[in-house]
Amino acid sequence: MNISTTLIALTILSSISAMAVANPSKLQSEVVSADAVQWGYLNPLRGDKSPGAANLWGDRTKNVPTGMLVRFNKGFSSPAHIHNITYRGVVIEGLMHNDDPNAATMWMPAGSFWTQPAGENHITAANGDGNMIFLEIDSGPYLVKPSAQHFDSGEKPVNLHQSNLVWLNQDDVSLVAGSDAEITTLWGSNERGQLGGTMLKLPAGFRGELTVAANQFRGIVIQGTVDYKSVEFTDEKPLTAGSYFGSSGEFSHQLSTSLDGAMIYIRTDGKYKLGKNGVVSSR
């Protein structure tokens, strides 16, 4: 090979290398542990009187779907206010109350779920030693506005205490088959292509695979610890309450639990199957 040919070959190799750096393979999934999130204020205008907030995905200051963690000090009680958009909340830790300012207090423990319609006047309060929720919006930005600006969006609020969740297992419906897991539907649709929210309860000592076919799939650990692996995250990673894993397209998430089991909130527009020892349950 002469010098001219060598130079041409090196140039081609250099170009290919540069293209590889400029176009790295895109991961199909993501994993965010609760201890790695960046905290700020939910309502920056109130400074340290505001609850803390940390994005798991999206950006609460922009017009994009967003999932975030929000934490409250014991004794926190907000002024009456409204939001410009609807949000959904799932209690991860502590005791939470969210309702009309004149409503009787109902403290909701971990695993409880509520929706807050856009424009509706309400307060939010916390009464546990530590209080944290998962909060999601379908569009943004997430803004807090005076109650005097209230309006009727046509939506109705939901306050679902954890004790009122109805769990279905393999003895109840064909959607759950032999995995000892349980499922409850919280909102939206079960149709492929339509967004919906469910809660999945994994038993103690579970080890299996969550196989997904969806444009978007997001799972948030609400209770317990899930040991997580996948083809893209090959080292088993413990995901404590408040952690998140998600994927797009067809993907498999390997999950296992300890003696306490786990509860996972799932937001997806597709179908998922949970398999244990070759037995599959599905949404």
Side-chain angles (χ1 to χ4, degrees):
M1 182 182 290
N2 59 37
I3 294 176
S4 178
T5 304
T6 302
L7 288 174
I8 292 172
L10 289 173
T11 301
I12 292 172
L13 288 172
S14 178
S15 298
I16 292 173
S17 177
M19 289 172 64
V21 172
N23 299 286
S25 58
K26 186 177 181 182
L27 291 179
Q28 240 185 295
S29 67
E30 59 182 339
V31 179
V32 178
S33 59
D35 58 2
V37 299
Q38 299 297 313
W39 288 92
Y41 291 128
L42 184 65
N43 183 4
L45 295 177
R46 297 196 71 207
D48 59 8
K49 293 182 180 179
S50 167
N55 293 337
L56 292 175
W57 72 83
D59 186 337
R60 61 186 180 274
T61 68
K62 298 179 181 179
N63 186 20
V64 294
T66 301
M68 67 186 97
L69 301 177
V70 184
R71 59 187 181 190
F72 307 81
N73 292 327
K74 182 174 183 176
F76 172 85
S77 184
S78 73
H81 64 283
I82 70 164
H83 297 285
N84 59 313
I85 44 84
T86 295
Y87 78 79
R88 305 178 193 95
V90 183
V91 183
I92 294 175
E93 178 186 6
L95 296 167
M96 298 297 304
H97 168 75
N98 190 87
D99 213 328
D100 182 275
N102 297 317
T105 302
M106 181 179 76
W107 294 115
M108 294 184 288
S112 301
F113 168 79
W114 82 81
T115 64
Q116 182 56 55
E120 182 170 286
N121 195 31
H122 68 286
I123 65 167
T124 304
N127 200 39
D129 290 332
N131 306 275
M132 185 165 67
I133 69 169
F134 166 72
L135 187 156
E136 68 175 18
I137 57 176
D138 295 334
S139 61
Y142 176 95
L143 302 176
V144 179
K145 296 188 175 185
S147 57
Q149 297 181 25
H150 69 91
F151 60 91
D152 185 359
S153 67
E155 297 180 78
K156 303 303 178 186
V158 173
N159 282 292
L160 187 55
H161 191 282
Q162 191 274 339
S163 64
N164 287 328
L165 294 177
V166 178
W167 294 96
L168 304 177
N169 61 23
Q170 62 269 22
D171 297 325
D172 303 311
V173 292
S174 59
L175 291 176
V176 180
S179 68
D180 294 327
E182 295 177 293
I183 188 173
T184 185
T185 298
L186 297 175
W187 64 274
S189 172
N190 290 326
E191 295 296 322
R192 189 183 300 274
Q194 301 294 315
L195 276 173
T198 56
M199 198 90 80
L200 186 64
K201 187 188 292 185
L202 302 180
F206 175 87
R207 182 173 291 275
E209 192 167 61
L210 191 63
T211 304
V212 181
N215 288 327
Q216 58 173 285
F217 173 89
R218 306 187 188 279
I220 299 87
V221 181
I222 300 300
Q223 285 185 303
T225 298
V226 174
D227 290 319
Y228 179 91
K229 289 177 65 176
S230 75
V231 295
E232 294 182 343
F233 296 88
T234 55
D235 293 333
E236 194 167 72
K237 185 178 183 65
L239 299 180
T240 57
S243 300
Y244 151 70
F245 60 95
S247 61
S248 60
E250 295 185 4
F251 197 82
S252 293
H253 306 270
Q254 298 171 38
L255 311 175
S256 60
T257 64
S258 63
L259 296 177
D260 296 328
M263 190 182 298
I264 302 172
Y265 171 75
I266 291 175
R267 168 194 172 96
T268 186
D269 63 358
K271 298 289 184 178
Y272 61 81
K273 294 181 179 180
L274 182 70
K276 179 185 179 184
N277 298 327
V279 181
V280 169
S281 63
S282 64
R283 173 187 183 268

